[in-house]
Amino acid sequence: MELALLLPPGMTVTPTMKEQCPLRDTLDRIGDRWTVIVVVLLLPGPRRFTELMRAAEGISQRMLTHTLRGLERDGLLTRTVHACVPPKVEYELTDPGRALAGPLTELLHWSVRHQESVLAARKTFDADV
Amino acid sequence: MELALLLPPGMTVTPTMKEQCPLRDTLDRIGDRWTVIVVVLLLPGPRRFTELMRAAEGISQRMLTHTLRGLERDGLLTRTVHACVPPKVEYELTDPGRALAGPLTELLHWSVRHQESVLAARKTFDADV
DNA sequence: CTGGATCCGACTGGATACTG
DNA sequence: CAGTATCCAGTCGGATCCAG
């Protein structure tokens, strides 16, 4: 499959037709501040709310809830409530959710490989301005 | 390289230490509304400002400028001004910029493969709420 | 043609307080 | 423990007008 698929003949790339532009839709989902972090933290296995809270340093309760809800909504993770006191809720990636590991790894490769040149370019650019 | 690299031992994933979390940095760069679209439009070859304007349906002049500046700043594309009347400016991806095609293709694969299940899950979720 | 400058609404996300 | 509700600041991005 080619990246050109993002641009079928006669079709423009517009953010307003997300369902016909899957990549756009995906980027909207994982492009926010915390989604990728939460997914990565869940890759090793199920985690509880508070565990995630501690692991994702800097996240607020509100954003952790929002992020988890978004992933649950899209079927990328499951939310399991254990009826006990104190309450215990476990989050676990589904197969589609775990499948994100591949693409994310690719992106990580690129990030690491080009990080130095990117930071250097950024420094130079900012210095000139 | 493993995705776990995103989480070196003893290090937490925090958006505040971007330079030590390359993936986070990358997502910040390509996670906005237009960057990926512009990169994809530039993959076939150099393009002029107005060409990009037409191809990226819905983009405003301001955002096209901003997006191009951001990519130029990170050394992902070059900006060439041809001294003529009317002015002519060409944008062309650099090697690092072109290298983004791989990871983006991976992400596209995931998007297409799971689009149906994601949309279905979303529909179900919204119906229950 | 290729932008820069300004204004402004919408959305994102953090802080805090409260609850079953 | 695992959230919900509310408030609020910062940012993103569109519209419009102006300029080399």
Side-chain angles (χ1 to χ4, degrees):
Chain A
M1 194 181 305
E2 300 299 325
L3 191 55
L5 206 157
L6 197 127
L7 287 166
M11 192 177 123
T12 48
V13 181
T14 149
T16 58
M17 37 204 313
K18 285 184 188 179
E19 304 199 352
Q20 294 164 53
C21 188
L23 182 53
R24 188 71 239 145
D25 191 39
T26 298
L27 287 166
D28 277 352
R29 180 163 48 255
I30 71 170
D32 67 2
R33 196 157 200 72
W34 297 106
T35 296
V36 167
I37 292 179
V38 169
V39 168
V40 169
L41 291 174
L42 284 174
L43 280 178
R47 291 286 156 87
R48 300 180 59 179
F49 188 86
T50 312
E51 291 178 312
L52 293 171
M53 195 72 180
R54 273 193 298 269
E57 183 184 312
I59 198 172
S60 62
Q61 281 188 336
R62 187 178 113 87
M63 287 319 296
L64 181 52
T65 302
H66 269 47
T67 303
L68 290 169
R69 280 289 177 284
L71 288 167
E72 184 191 3
R73 182 168 102 104
D74 287 351
L76 301 185
L77 60 74
T78 57
R79 179 174 177 270
T80 310
V81 182
H82 300 269
C84 58
V85 181
K88 179 176 173 180
V89 180
E90 276 194 327
Y91 295 90
E92 183 172 15
L93 291 181
T94 60
D95 285 335
R98 264 185 295 272
L100 261 176
L104 289 183
T105 302
E106 279 299 305
L107 215 49
L108 177 62
H109 286 181
W110 184 93
S111 305
V112 172
R113 189 148 42 216
H114 299 283
Q115 181 187 22
E116 207 170 324
S117 79
V118 165
L119 291 179
R122 203 178 289 178
K123 197 170 176 180
T124 304
F125 187 91
D126 292 346
D128 293 348
V129 179
Chain B
M1 193 182 305
E2 300 298 324
L3 191 53
L5 205 158
L6 197 124
L7 286 167
M11 189 178 128
T12 49
V13 181
T14 146
T16 57
M17 38 202 313
K18 284 183 187 179
E19 303 198 354
Q20 293 165 54
C21 189
L23 182 53
R24 188 71 236 142
D25 190 39
T26 298
L27 287 165
D28 277 352
R29 182 161 49 256
I30 71 169
D32 68 1
R33 197 157 198 72
W34 296 107
T35 295
V36 167
I37 293 180
V38 169
V39 168
V40 169
L41 291 175
L42 283 174
L43 281 177
R47 290 288 157 87
R48 301 180 58 179
F49 188 87
T50 312
E51 289 178 313
L52 292 171
M53 194 73 180
R54 273 193 298 269
E57 184 183 311
I59 198 173
S60 63
Q61 281 187 337
R62 187 176 112 87
M63 288 319 295
L64 181 52
T65 301
H66 269 46
T67 304
L68 290 169
R69 279 292 176 282
L71 289 168
E72 184 191 2
R73 183 167 103 103
D74 287 352
L76 301 185
L77 61 74
T78 58
R79 178 173 178 270
T80 311
V81 182
H82 300 269
C84 58
V85 182
K88 177 174 173 182
V89 180
E90 277 195 327
Y91 295 91
E92 181 170 18
L93 292 181
T94 60
D95 284 338
R98 265 186 293 272
L100 261 176
L104 290 182
T105 302
E106 278 300 304
L107 215 50
L108 177 63
H109 286 181
W110 183 92
S111 304
V112 172
R113 189 148 42 221
H114 299 282
Q115 181 186 22
E116 207 170 326
S117 81
V118 165
L119 290 179
R122 202 178 291 178
K123 196 170 176 179
T124 303
F125 188 90
D126 292 346
D128 291 351
V129 180

